[in-house]
Amino acid sequence: MARSTRSTDWGFPRWRAYGAEREAVQVRMCDRHGCDQPGDRPAPKSPNSPERWYFCETHAGEYNRNWDYFAGLTAEEAAEREANERRDASGFSEAKYNSWAGPGDGSRSRDEMKALEVLELEVDADFEAVRLAWRRMAKSNHPDVKPNDAEAAKRFQAIQAAYDVLKAAEERRTWKGD
């Protein structure tokens, strides 16, 4: 029997819902083995590759948690690639602070996160906790307290640099908040 080419939706109102055509709709399935959900979230197979995996929402989240952009590169190659990409992105600046967000939710830079590690603090620590940790660690590692201890002097310098980074970030935040 010949198939009708004429639409049955004549005029207004539509008799069927939108997307309720009789033809089969092609659905791409999740590329994760054993998953039967639609794969509607593309993810790159490797850095700088046009090839994509297609995952469902659950597996896309799992993939993104484990994604390492610098996989297979040495530390020097990764640092060089990062420096080159930062240099090429001169028209764009990295977001320093989102005024509607609080600490620990993506509003801290990589340097701030490293500074928090040096001060042995959690990512959501407020500036008062930073100040207390800095004072405690600086007192215990100060060169006057531990003379002739090169390791303590290095730790003191790292603690001081970490505090300076976090203090400058806090000043930027309070300045933008006013």
Side-chain angles (χ1 to χ4, degrees):
M1 180 168 152
R3 194 165 192 170
S4 173
T5 58
R6 181 179 286 213
S7 171
T8 56
D9 293 332
W10 301 331
F12 185 81
R14 285 180 58 94
W15 299 110
R16 292 193 317 261
Y18 286 103
E21 290 81 19
R22 292 187 186 126
E23 292 81 27
V25 178
Q26 185 174 5
V27 176
R28 183 177 180 117
M29 300 307 285
C30 179
D31 284 334
R32 183 59 161 259
H33 180 71
C35 183
D36 60 352
Q37 300 295 316
D40 54 357
R41 288 160 177 84
K45 287 189 175 184
S46 64
N48 303 326
S49 171
E51 297 178 13
R52 300 281 185 250
W53 296 108
Y54 287 88
F55 294 120
C56 62
E57 184 175 1
T58 305
H59 292 123
E62 180 183 316
Y63 177 84
N64 287 336
R65 274 192 302 277
N66 298 326
W67 174 255
D68 182 11
Y69 182 76
F70 300 109
L73 299 177
T74 64
E76 294 83 21
E77 291 171 336
E80 181 181 351
R81 177 178 280 184
E82 182 179 6
N84 288 339
E85 289 181 4
R86 285 186 187 273
R87 189 176 310 114
D88 292 345
S90 59
F92 304 96
S93 66
E94 193 172 308
K96 300 288 188 241
Y97 176 71
N98 298 322
S99 59
W100 60 86
D105 55 6
S107 62
R108 293 192 187 269
S109 69
R110 180 180 296 156
D111 293 335
E112 291 174 71
M113 297 301 284
K114 288 180 183 176
L116 287 169
E117 276 182 31
V118 169
L119 294 176
E120 300 170 356
L121 292 171
E122 297 293 323
V123 296
D124 59 349
D126 62 348
F127 192 68
E128 189 59 34
V130 168
R131 185 176 287 133
L132 292 173
W134 167 71
R135 286 184 58 82
R136 176 180 47 82
M137 294 179 80
K139 282 182 180 180
S140 64
N141 291 296
H142 197 277
D144 291 343
V145 175
K146 294 185 177 183
N148 301 327
D149 188 358
E151 287 298 316
K154 284 182 184 178
R155 281 193 305 269
F156 180 75
Q157 289 175 348
I159 291 164
Q160 195 63 35
Y163 179 73
D164 291 341
V165 165
L166 292 169
K167 184 177 179 184
E170 182 67 18
E171 288 173 357
R172 281 194 306 271
R173 284 187 186 96
T174 55
W175 182 74
K176 284 192 177 192
D178 291 343

